[in-house]
């Protein structure tokens, strides 16, 4: 009887934890989808590779959160698969961003620096909110690690976008924006590599 009560209590705790993780991931998923839509719109209008890259990063984040939602309450193998798919997604998006940088390198006007800085500032605030929501759980499971890595990468991207916007305004050139596009792509690829390594470390023997 005691064992049954303990098992029931553990199951209830697990259900409550899963429900909490699910609510958190739903919130950060919604935030990142909004950031992606706004980033693409402002990036195209402002002719900024960096903002488009940040929007792609937010899209990748949203995909990671969606896959993490799928992994909640499932066996470890499912969580590893979700993390691995997230890693390859991020690496793939980094390659697409590099192609966009090359396309704009051979033609394009300087982006609107002020728009880059404002959008990056808004994204920075939203990313801090997402990171605090994710870290509130304190979980070490691989699908949540992947989510935290993506969100931390976003903070670096936004800081770089603010600096790039200032340089664009100062120099009147699109080169800072293109350079940052390359840096964002490299950061994304590194994040994907970290996620794949984390997934490999959690692979069941």
């Amino acid at each position: 009887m005691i064992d049954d009560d303990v098992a029931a209590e553990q199951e209830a705790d697990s259900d409550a934890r899963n429900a909490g993780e699910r609510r958190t991931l739903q919130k950060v998923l919604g935030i990142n989808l909004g950031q992606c839509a706004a980033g693409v719109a402002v990036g195209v209008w402002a002719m900024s590779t960096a903002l488009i890259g940040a929007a792609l990063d937010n899209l990748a984040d949203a995909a990671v959160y969606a896959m993490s939602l799928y992994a909640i309450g499932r066996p470890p193998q499912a969580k590893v698969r979700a993390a691995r798919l997230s890693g390859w997604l991020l690496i793939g998006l980094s390659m697409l961003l590099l192609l966009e940088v090359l396309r704009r390198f051979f033609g394009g006007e300087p982006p609107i620096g002020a728009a880059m800085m404002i959008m990056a500032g808004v994204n920075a605030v939203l990313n801090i909110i997402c990171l605090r929501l994710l870290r509130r759980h304190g979980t070490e499971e691989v699908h949540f690690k992947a989510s935290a890595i993506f969100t931390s990468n976003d903070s670096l991207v936004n800081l770089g976008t603010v600096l790039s916007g200032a340089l664009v305004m100062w120099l009147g050139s699109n080169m800072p924006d293109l350079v940052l596009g390359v840096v964002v792509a490299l950061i994304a690829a590194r994040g994907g590599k970290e996620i794949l390594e984390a997934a490999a470390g959690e692979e069941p023997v």
Side-chain angles (χ1 to χ4, degrees), residues 47 105 108-113 116 163-179:
M47 297 173 291
F105 178 79
E109 300 177 5
I112 302 174
M116 294 173 62
L163 177 60
S164 178
L167 289 173
V168 165
M169 295 174 66
W170 181 36
L171 300 174
S173 167
N174 67 351
M175 284 306 297
D177 182 62
L178 295 177
V179 170

Side-chain angles (χ1 to χ4, degrees), residues 73-88:
R74 296 180 184 271
Q77 294 90 335
K79 297 175 182 180
V80 170
R81 285 196 299 270
R84 187 182 294 115
L85 185 56
S86 301
W88 284 117

Side-chain angles (χ1 to χ4, degrees), residues 96-111:
L96 290 177
L97 181 55
L98 283 176
L99 291 176
E100 175 65 11
V101 169
L102 289 174
R103 187 185 73 82
R104 287 180 179 261
F105 178 79
F106 293 103
E109 300 177 5

Side-chain angles (χ1 to χ4, degrees), residues 1-15:
M1 179 67 71
I2 295 178
D3 290 342
D4 290 342
D5 291 340
V6 171
E9 184 176 346
Q10 289 177 341
E11 184 176 354
D13 290 341
S14 178
D15 290 343

Side-chain angles (χ1 to χ4, degrees), residues 32-107:
N32 276 270
L33 286 175
Q35 285 179 279
C36 177
V40 169
V42 176
V44 171
W45 170 71
M47 297 173 291
S48 171
T49 303
L51 285 181
I52 294 173
L56 288 177
D57 200 23
N58 287 128
L59 179 61
D61 290 354
V64 171
Y65 301 141
M67 285 181 278
S68 295
L69 272 169
Y70 161 79
I72 289 176
R74 296 180 184 271
Q77 294 90 335
K79 297 175 182 180
V80 170
R81 285 196 299 270
R84 187 182 294 115
L85 185 56
S86 301
W88 284 117
L89 174 66
L90 192 48
I91 291 173
L93 288 176
S94 72
M95 298 300 103
L96 290 177
L97 181 55
L98 283 176
L99 291 176
E100 175 65 11
V101 169
L102 289 174
R103 187 185 73 82
R104 287 180 179 261
F105 178 79
F106 293 103

